[in-house]
């Protein structure tokens, strides 16, 4: 995928899929073009989309960096990620099996029966197979067995650490490539879009006014029936619900959307956290960019720190008579989201409800977005709380 400076996937690609580990070239000459070097001198574009108007390095980055070796940006090589760890799992299994048979004897090699799992295990194939060989050595015991176990487990650890280091280097390369794109204007663009889309709804809203603040998990400006619309149906004429949620919005964005629209709400409902805490900006937070602070981290980092999120939520609360805040349920990120929940719970003037207690794993369509039944369950839970606050 190619992604523009707003974070939107550039569509309309045509041609063959980019091969894993390929070298990709990007060119900006009035339009964005991209392709791969399949043969020396062969630069037939596989994608062409839209006007550029700026150096390509300020417009385009690569997703899935482990699948791309390097990017040639307007003739300049930009490393975008680590080379994929290439290994033929079958050949490695054969070699390790032969070595193991010579060292340990066939009777102790039963752990290697799991070798086919190397194709699906979440480890580099050599690391997984070395781990199995280490298990075979431990099963045999004795001087030879324990020596083989130490060698196998040592190599497995070396391979895993090496893969992690390559990933870290790739993140740093992505951060360096993205750094020129990160300006306050880049983040303000999302605020501009949300304000333009919602100004009419805010002007027409009746009282009591309930404002929804969040990201794509709350609908995020996308047409459809999400929990804010279901909440309006449940409340009927008791209140007006206006959703200012916007795809990709952090609390930094939401605070500025409220300020720009000069909203004064009876209730604000925040379902937030995922966009604040996802490592997606290079070297400094949005607030650091706004303040002109220097880059202080080598790789990608969250756009909003916990302290900055607390300040944003507090500022949002100054425009709301009551604030109901919930942390998003994000599959696989319980530790991060629990810390975010603690911040919301401890912010003065905020009524916190545990989002993870309302949004169950079976309510999720993917890692963070709700499926229709999840939106309905979430709306019912919010209705129960806000109903008590309405006349």
């Amino acid at each position: 995928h190619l992604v523009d400076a707003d974070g939107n996937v550039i569509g309309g690609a045509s041609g063959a899929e980019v091969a894993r580990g390929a070298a990709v070239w990007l060119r900006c000459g009035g339009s964005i073009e991209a392709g791969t070097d399949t043969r020396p001198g062969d630069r037939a574009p596989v994608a062409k989309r839209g006007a550029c108007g700026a150096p390509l390095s300020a417009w385009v980055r690569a997703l899935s960096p482990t699948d791309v070796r390097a990017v040639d940006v307007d003739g300049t090589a930009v490393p975008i990620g680590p080379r994929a760890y290439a290994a033929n799992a079958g050949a490695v299994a054969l070699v390790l099996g032969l070595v193991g048979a010579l060292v340990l004897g066939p009777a102790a090699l039963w752990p290697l029966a799991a070798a086919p799992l190397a194709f699906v295990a979440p480890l580099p194939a050599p690391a997984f197979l070395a781990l199995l060989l280490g298990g075979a050595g431990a099963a045999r015991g004795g001087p030879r067995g324990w020596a083989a176990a130490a060698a196998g487990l040592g190599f497995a650890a070396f391979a895993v650490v090496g893969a992690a280091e390559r990933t870290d280097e790739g993140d740093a390369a992505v951060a360096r490539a993205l750094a020129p794109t990160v300006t306050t204007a880049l983040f303000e663009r999302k605020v501009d879009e949300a304000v333009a889309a919602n100004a009419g709804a805010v002007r027409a809203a009746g009282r009591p006014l309930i404002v929804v603040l969040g990201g794509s998990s709350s609908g995020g400006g996308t047409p459809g029936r999400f929990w804010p619309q279901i909440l309006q149906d449940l409340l009927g004429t008791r209140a007006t619900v206006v959703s200012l949620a916007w795809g990709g919005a952090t609390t930094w964005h939401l605070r500025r959307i409220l300020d720009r629209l000069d909203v004064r709400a009876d209730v604000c409902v925040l379902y937030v956290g995922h966009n604040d805490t996802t490592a997606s900006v290079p070297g400094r937070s949005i607030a650091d960019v706004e303040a002109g602070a220097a880059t202080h981290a080598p790789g990608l980092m969250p756009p909003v720190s916990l302290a900055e999120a607390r300040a944003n939520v507090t500022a949002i609360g100054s425009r709301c008579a009551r604030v109901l805040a919930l942390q998003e349920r994000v599959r696989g990120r319980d530790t991060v989201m629990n810390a975010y929940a603690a911040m919301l719970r401890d912010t003065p003037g905020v009524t916190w409800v545990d989002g993870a207690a309302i949004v169950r794993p079976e309510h999720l369509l993917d890692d963070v977005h709700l499926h229709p039944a999840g939106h309905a369950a979430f709306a019912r839970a919010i209705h129960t709380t806000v109903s008590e606050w309405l006349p």
Side-chain angles (χ1 to χ4, degrees):
H1 298 287
L2 300 181
V3 179
D4 66 17
D6 293 325
N8 302 309
V9 174
I10 297 173
S14 61
E17 207 173 73
V18 174
R20 186 177 182 88
V24 177
W25 61 268
L26 307 172
R27 182 169 59 215
C28 178
S31 64
I32 298 174
E33 293 183 347
T36 60
D37 287 327
T38 53
R39 296 187 302 272
D42 180 6
R43 288 207 160 184
V46 296
K48 184 172 182 177
R49 174 66 178 258
C52 249
L56 192 59
S57 58
W59 284 85
V60 179
R61 63 183 174 92
L63 285 180
S64 302
T66 55
D67 289 345
V68 179
R69 183 174 74 248
V71 175
D72 181 338
V73 179
D74 281 343
T76 302
V78 177
I80 201 72
R83 185 189 296 269
Y85 197 103
N88 186 311
V92 174
L94 178 62
V95 171
L96 288 179
L98 290 173
V99 172
L102 291 172
V103 175
L104 304 175
L109 292 180
W110 57 266
L112 285 176
L117 293 178
F119 292 100
V120 295
L123 288 174
F128 182 78
L129 294 166
L131 191 63
L132 294 180
L133 185 60
R140 183 188 190 279
R144 283 189 178 184
W146 291 115
L153 296 176
F155 178 80
F158 174 79
V160 170
V161 170
E165 288 177 350
R166 283 190 296 276
T167 301
D168 291 342
E169 291 170 0
D171 288 345
V174 171
R176 288 193 298 272
L178 283 176
T181 74
V182 179
T183 63
T184 304
L186 171 67
F187 302 113
E188 287 284 1
R189 199 171 304 162
K190 192 180 294 292
V191 176
D192 294 341
E193 293 170 352
V195 168
N198 293 297
V202 171
R203 284 194 300 267
R207 292 286 180 173
L209 173 60
I210 298 174
V211 170
V212 170
L213 300 166
S216 57
S217 61
S218 297
T222 304
R225 182 173 170 79
F226 304 102
W227 71 262
Q229 290 77 28
I230 300 172
L231 177 62
Q232 178 69 84
D233 292 346
L234 294 172
L235 289 169
T237 59
R238 293 186 63 194
T240 299
V241 178
V242 173
S243 177
L244 299 182
W246 203 254
T250 66
T251 52
W252 183 94
H253 295 90
L254 298 170
R255 174 181 178 177
R256 279 148 186 81
I257 292 169
L258 282 179
D259 288 345
R260 290 269 300 277
L261 291 171
D262 194 23
V263 172
R264 300 290 175 179
D266 298 282
V267 178
C268 288
V269 182
L270 284 77
Y271 185 51
V272 291
H274 172 64
N275 292 331
D276 278 7
T277 58
T278 299
S280 57
V281 295
R284 50 185 180 162
S285 68
I286 300 177
D288 289 335
V289 174
E290 189 177 28
T295 300
H296 53 76
L300 299 175
M301 63 178 290
V304 180
S305 70
L306 281 180
E308 291 161 355
R310 184 194 300 271
N312 291 334
V313 172
T314 300
I316 289 170
S318 68
R319 291 187 168 273
C320 313
R322 304 290 295 266
V323 177
L324 175 64
L326 308 89
Q327 85 280 12
E328 287 174 280
R329 159 80 76 165
V330 185
R331 185 178 283 123
R333 299 186 66 212
D334 291 346
T335 301
V336 172
M337 297 314 298
N338 286 343
Y340 198 90
M343 178 277 294
L344 293 176
R345 183 189 63 224
D346 298 336
T347 299
V350 170
T351 298
W352 170 75
V353 173
D354 188 0
I358 295 174
V359 180
R360 310 305 306 161
E362 59 269 22
H363 289 153
L364 293 178
L365 191 63
D366 51 25
D367 288 345
V368 66
H369 299 97
L370 306 173
H371 61 56
H375 280 284
F378 192 85
R380 289 192 297 269
I382 299 301
H383 176 258
T384 300
T385 300
V386 300
S387 290
E388 300 174 356
W389 297 345
L390 299 175

